[in-house]
Amino acid sequence: MTAAPVDTLDAEDGGGVEAFAQAQRIVEALLFASAVPLSAEALGRAIPAGIAVEQVLARLVESYATRGVNLRQVAGGWAFRTAPDLGYLLAAEAEPPRKLSRAALEVLSIIAYHQPVTRAEIEEIRGVATAKGTLDILLEAGWVRLRGRRRSPGRPVTYGTTPGFLDHFGLDRIDDLPGLEELKGTGFIEGRLTRDLQVPVPDDDPGLRDDEDPLGDLFSPLDDGEGGPQQG
Protein backbone atom coordinates (compact mmCIF):
# COMPACT_ATOMS: atom_id res chain seq x y z
CA MET A 1 0.00 0.00 0.00
CA THR A 2 1.44 3.35 -1.08
CA ALA A 3 0.47 6.51 0.75
CA ALA A 4 -1.88 8.84 -1.11
CA PRO A 5 -0.31 11.98 -2.61
CA VAL A 6 -0.44 14.81 -0.11
CA ASP A 7 -2.03 17.22 -2.59
CA THR A 8 -5.17 15.05 -2.54
CA LEU A 9 -5.61 15.46 1.18
CA ASP A 10 -8.50 17.44 2.51
CA ALA A 11 -8.43 17.59 6.29
CA GLU A 12 -11.88 19.17 6.29
CA ASP A 13 -13.40 15.86 5.15
CA GLY A 14 -14.33 13.04 7.48
CA GLY A 15 -13.84 14.65 10.86
CA GLY A 16 -12.33 18.09 10.35
CA VAL A 17 -8.96 19.64 11.05
CA GLU A 18 -8.82 18.66 14.71
CA ALA A 19 -9.68 15.02 14.05
CA PHE A 20 -7.08 14.83 11.28
CA ALA A 21 -4.42 16.38 13.50
CA GLN A 22 -5.29 13.95 16.29
CA ALA A 23 -5.04 11.05 13.84
CA GLN A 24 -1.52 12.18 12.86
CA ARG A 25 -0.49 12.32 16.52
CA ILE A 26 -1.87 8.83 17.16
CA VAL A 27 -0.16 7.29 14.14
CA GLU A 28 3.10 9.08 14.95
CA ALA A 29 3.02 7.85 18.56
CA LEU A 30 2.23 4.26 17.59
CA LEU A 31 5.03 4.13 15.04
CA PHE A 32 7.63 5.58 17.40
CA ALA A 33 6.62 3.16 20.16
CA SER A 34 6.58 0.04 17.99
CA ALA A 35 9.62 -2.19 17.63
CA VAL A 36 8.26 -3.60 14.35
CA PRO A 37 6.65 -2.06 11.26
CA LEU A 38 2.90 -1.52 11.61
CA SER A 39 0.41 -2.13 8.82
CA ALA A 40 -1.85 0.61 7.52
CA GLU A 41 -4.82 -1.50 8.57
CA ALA A 42 -3.65 -1.67 12.19
CA LEU A 43 -2.96 2.06 12.26
CA GLY A 44 -6.32 2.80 10.68
CA ARG A 45 -8.13 1.01 13.48
CA ALA A 46 -6.55 3.34 16.05
CA ILE A 47 -7.50 6.69 14.54
CA PRO A 48 -10.85 8.54 14.62
CA ALA A 49 -13.56 7.16 12.35
CA GLY A 50 -13.84 8.87 8.99
CA ILE A 51 -10.15 9.71 8.67
CA ALA A 52 -8.31 7.98 5.81
CA VAL A 53 -5.12 6.45 7.17
CA GLU A 54 -3.51 6.68 3.72
CA GLN A 55 -3.81 10.47 3.88
CA VAL A 56 -2.43 10.56 7.41
CA LEU A 57 0.58 8.49 6.34
CA ALA A 58 1.13 10.68 3.28
CA ARG A 59 1.18 13.79 5.44
CA LEU A 60 3.66 12.20 7.86
CA VAL A 61 5.89 11.02 5.00
CA GLU A 62 6.04 14.59 3.75
CA SER A 63 6.58 16.03 7.23
CA TYR A 64 9.51 13.73 8.00
CA ALA A 65 11.08 13.75 4.52
CA THR A 66 13.78 16.29 5.46
CA ARG A 67 14.21 15.34 9.12
CA GLY A 68 16.62 13.04 10.91
CA VAL A 69 14.21 10.14 10.63
CA ASN A 70 12.03 9.27 7.66
CA LEU A 71 8.76 7.36 7.49
CA ARG A 72 9.20 4.39 5.17
CA GLN A 73 7.33 1.33 3.98
CA VAL A 74 9.15 -1.81 5.08
CA ALA A 75 8.09 -5.45 5.45
CA GLY A 76 4.55 -4.67 4.36
CA GLY A 77 4.10 -1.99 7.02
CA TRP A 78 5.29 1.44 8.09
CA ALA A 79 8.21 2.40 10.32
CA PHE A 80 10.51 5.31 11.13
CA ARG A 81 14.07 4.82 9.94
CA THR A 82 17.18 6.98 10.28
CA ALA A 83 17.66 9.24 7.26
CA PRO A 84 20.13 7.50 4.93
CA ASP A 85 22.64 10.37 4.99
CA LEU A 86 22.83 10.25 8.80
CA GLY A 87 23.35 6.55 9.23
CA TYR A 88 27.07 7.01 9.85
CA LEU A 89 26.30 8.87 13.09
CA LEU A 90 24.78 5.74 14.61
CA ALA A 91 27.45 3.32 13.43
CA ALA A 92 29.32 3.43 16.74
CA GLU A 93 26.12 2.75 18.72
CA ALA A 94 24.78 -0.02 16.55
CA GLU A 95 25.43 -3.67 17.26
CA PRO A 96 28.03 -5.22 14.97
CA PRO A 97 26.26 -6.49 11.85
CA ARG A 98 25.66 -10.21 11.71
CA LYS A 99 28.24 -11.66 9.36
CA LEU A 100 27.05 -14.61 7.32
CA SER A 101 29.27 -17.14 5.66
CA ARG A 102 29.10 -17.52 1.89
CA ALA A 103 27.18 -20.76 2.42
CA ALA A 104 24.61 -19.01 4.63
CA LEU A 105 24.17 -16.21 2.10
CA GLU A 106 23.63 -18.73 -0.67
CA VAL A 107 21.09 -20.66 1.37
CA LEU A 108 19.27 -17.46 2.37
CA SER A 109 19.12 -16.34 -1.25
CA ILE A 110 17.76 -19.68 -2.41
CA ILE A 111 15.09 -19.68 0.28
CA ALA A 112 14.10 -16.10 -0.57
CA TYR A 113 13.70 -16.77 -4.29
CA HIS A 114 12.45 -20.37 -4.25
CA GLN A 115 10.26 -20.57 -1.12
CA PRO A 116 8.70 -22.78 -0.03
CA VAL A 117 11.78 -24.96 -0.37
CA THR A 118 13.10 -28.03 1.45
CA ARG A 119 16.66 -28.65 2.53
CA ALA A 120 17.06 -31.28 -0.18
CA GLU A 121 15.88 -28.78 -2.79
CA ILE A 122 18.33 -26.19 -1.46
CA GLU A 123 21.15 -28.71 -1.81
CA GLU A 124 20.06 -29.60 -5.34
CA ILE A 125 20.19 -25.93 -6.38
CA ARG A 126 23.55 -25.30 -4.65
CA GLY A 127 25.08 -28.57 -5.76
CA VAL A 128 26.47 -29.27 -2.29
CA ALA A 129 25.08 -30.44 1.04
CA THR A 130 23.96 -27.85 3.57
CA ALA A 131 25.24 -28.08 7.12
CA LYS A 132 22.45 -28.09 9.70
CA GLY A 133 24.15 -25.23 11.52
CA THR A 134 23.73 -22.98 8.46
CA LEU A 135 19.95 -23.21 8.62
CA ASP A 136 20.04 -22.86 12.41
CA ILE A 137 21.85 -19.52 12.06
CA LEU A 138 19.21 -18.20 9.65
CA LEU A 139 16.39 -19.41 11.89
CA GLU A 140 18.01 -17.83 14.96
CA ALA A 141 18.44 -14.53 13.10
CA GLY A 142 14.69 -14.49 12.49
CA TRP A 143 15.10 -14.25 8.71
CA VAL A 144 13.91 -17.78 7.92
CA ARG A 145 10.99 -19.78 9.32
CA LEU A 146 9.63 -23.29 9.15
CA ARG A 147 6.56 -23.19 6.91
CA GLY A 148 5.16 -26.71 6.77
CA ARG A 149 5.88 -30.22 5.54
CA ARG A 150 6.12 -31.22 1.90
CA ARG A 151 3.65 -33.87 0.81
CA SER A 152 6.37 -36.25 -0.29
CA PRO A 153 8.15 -39.27 1.21
CA GLY A 154 9.59 -38.39 4.61
CA ARG A 155 7.42 -35.24 4.76
CA PRO A 156 10.46 -32.87 4.79
CA VAL A 157 10.03 -29.45 6.36
CA THR A 158 9.73 -26.45 4.06
CA TYR A 159 11.43 -23.09 4.66
CA GLY A 160 10.43 -19.52 3.86
CA THR A 161 11.45 -15.98 4.75
CA THR A 162 9.94 -13.78 7.48
CA PRO A 163 8.88 -10.14 7.84
CA GLY A 164 12.12 -9.74 9.80
CA PHE A 165 14.04 -10.61 6.62
CA LEU A 166 12.25 -7.85 4.73
CA ASP A 167 12.78 -5.36 7.56
CA HIS A 168 16.49 -6.12 7.92
CA PHE A 169 17.18 -5.75 4.21
CA GLY A 170 14.96 -2.66 3.80
CA LEU A 171 12.38 -4.33 1.58
CA ASP A 172 8.66 -3.61 1.61
CA ARG A 173 7.69 -6.75 -0.32
CA ILE A 174 9.52 -9.92 -1.29
CA ASP A 175 9.18 -9.10 -5.00
CA ASP A 176 11.32 -6.00 -4.38
CA LEU A 177 14.27 -8.40 -4.58
CA PRO A 178 16.27 -7.82 -7.78
CA GLY A 179 15.46 -9.86 -10.86
CA LEU A 180 17.93 -11.43 -13.27
CA GLU A 181 18.46 -8.30 -15.36
CA GLU A 182 19.07 -6.20 -12.25
CA LEU A 183 21.57 -8.74 -10.95
CA LYS A 184 23.36 -8.65 -14.28
CA GLY A 185 23.43 -4.84 -14.16
CA THR A 186 25.15 -4.82 -10.79
CA GLY A 187 27.80 -7.26 -12.00
CA PHE A 188 27.01 -9.49 -9.03
CA ILE A 189 26.63 -12.60 -11.15
CA GLU A 190 28.78 -11.60 -14.10
CA GLY A 191 30.77 -14.57 -15.34
CA ARG A 192 28.68 -17.04 -13.33
CA LEU A 193 25.74 -17.30 -15.74
CA THR A 194 24.63 -20.41 -17.52
CA ARG A 195 22.36 -20.25 -20.55
CA ASP A 196 19.45 -21.84 -18.72
CA LEU A 197 19.82 -19.71 -15.54
CA GLN A 198 16.49 -18.34 -14.38
CA VAL A 199 15.68 -16.19 -11.34
CA PRO A 200 12.12 -16.94 -10.22
CA VAL A 201 9.71 -14.25 -9.09
CA PRO A 202 9.82 -14.65 -5.29
CA ASP A 203 6.60 -15.22 -3.34
CA ASP A 204 6.39 -15.25 0.46
CA ASP A 205 2.63 -15.84 0.75
CA PRO A 206 2.25 -17.27 4.29
CA GLY A 207 -0.51 -19.62 3.22
CA LEU A 208 0.42 -23.26 2.70
CA ARG A 209 0.64 -24.48 -0.90
CA ASP A 210 -1.23 -27.46 -2.27
CA ASP A 211 1.83 -29.65 -1.75
CA GLU A 212 2.36 -28.56 1.89
CA ASP A 213 0.84 -29.81 5.13
CA PRO A 214 0.87 -27.99 8.49
CA LEU A 215 3.95 -28.58 10.63
CA GLY A 216 1.97 -30.38 13.31
CA ASP A 217 4.02 -31.81 16.16
CA LEU A 218 7.53 -30.34 15.88
CA PHE A 219 8.86 -33.08 18.15
CA SER A 220 7.87 -35.86 15.77
CA PRO A 221 10.58 -37.17 13.40
CA LEU A 222 11.37 -34.86 10.49
CA ASP A 223 13.17 -35.61 7.26
CA ASP A 224 15.09 -32.38 6.67
CA GLY A 225 16.91 -33.70 3.64
CA GLU A 226 20.27 -34.55 5.19
CA GLY A 227 22.95 -35.95 3.03
CA GLY A 228 24.97 -34.89 0.03
CA PRO A 229 28.46 -35.03 -1.41
CA GLN A 230 30.04 -32.34 0.77
CA GLN A 231 29.23 -29.94 3.57
CA GLY A 232 29.00 -26.20 2.92
Side-chain angles (χ1 to χ4, degrees):
M1 192 279 299
T2 301
V6 176
D7 58 11
T8 67
L9 302 180
D10 184 356
E12 297 294 343
D13 293 338
V17 175
E18 290 186 6
F20 191 84
Q22 179 67 0
Q24 287 187 80
R25 295 180 67 235
I26 291 172
V27 170
E28 185 178 40
L30 290 173
L31 289 171
F32 267 115
S34 178
V36 297
L38 298 177
S39 69
E41 291 75 16
L43 294 168
R45 291 193 293 269
I47 63 178
I51 300 295
V53 70
E54 294 84 0
Q55 295 182 344
V56 174
L57 289 165
R59 183 64 59 83
L60 288 173
V61 167
E62 180 185 58
S63 176
Y64 280 90
T66 59
R67 298 173 68 175
V69 292
N70 303 149
L71 181 57
R72 295 177 50 196
Q73 280 186 279
V74 290
W78 293 84
F80 283 111
R81 292 289 184 265
T82 303
D85 61 315
L86 299 179
Y88 72 95
L89 294 172
L90 304 180
E93 302 296 332
E95 294 183 7
R98 185 184 299 270
K99 293 184 178 180
L100 296 180
S101 65
R102 177 174 177 176
L105 286 172
E106 290 177 355
V107 171
L108 181 60
S109 299
I110 290 170
I111 293 173
Y113 280 97
H114 293 267
Q115 59 187 304
V117 62
T118 67
R119 180 173 171 180
E121 291 164 348
I122 293 170
E123 292 173 346
E124 181 179 359
I125 294 170
R126 290 187 66 216
V128 296
T130 299
K132 184 177 184 298
T134 300
L135 285 166
D136 289 341
I137 289 172
L138 298 176
L139 289 165
E140 181 183 352
W143 299 338
V144 167
R145 68 183 180 92
L146 306 179
R147 286 179 47 95
R149 297 175 187 262
R150 181 80 77 215
R151 289 181 182 174
S152 62
R155 300 180 65 226
V157 68
T158 55
Y159 297 90
T161 55
T162 67
F165 167 81
L166 297 176
D167 191 8
H168 181 83
F169 290 97
L171 303 171
D172 179 37
R173 296 155 35 113
I174 195 69
D175 55 12
D176 288 337
L177 285 169
L180 180 58
E181 293 305 316
E182 292 172 284
L183 292 172
K184 288 180 181 178
T186 63
F188 181 71
I189 54 176
E190 192 66 31
R192 309 181 198 179
L193 299 176
T194 60
R195 290 189 176 183
D196 59 348
L197 176 67
Q198 294 183 347
V199 175
V201 177
D203 180 5
D204 60 355
D205 184 346
L208 295 177
R209 309 291 174 83
D210 292 340
D211 62 349
E212 289 181 290
D213 285 323
L215 283 170
D217 183 3
L218 289 176
F219 295 99
S220 61
L222 279 175
D223 178 356
D224 60 1
E226 289 192 19
Q230 80 181 80
Q231 296 290 317

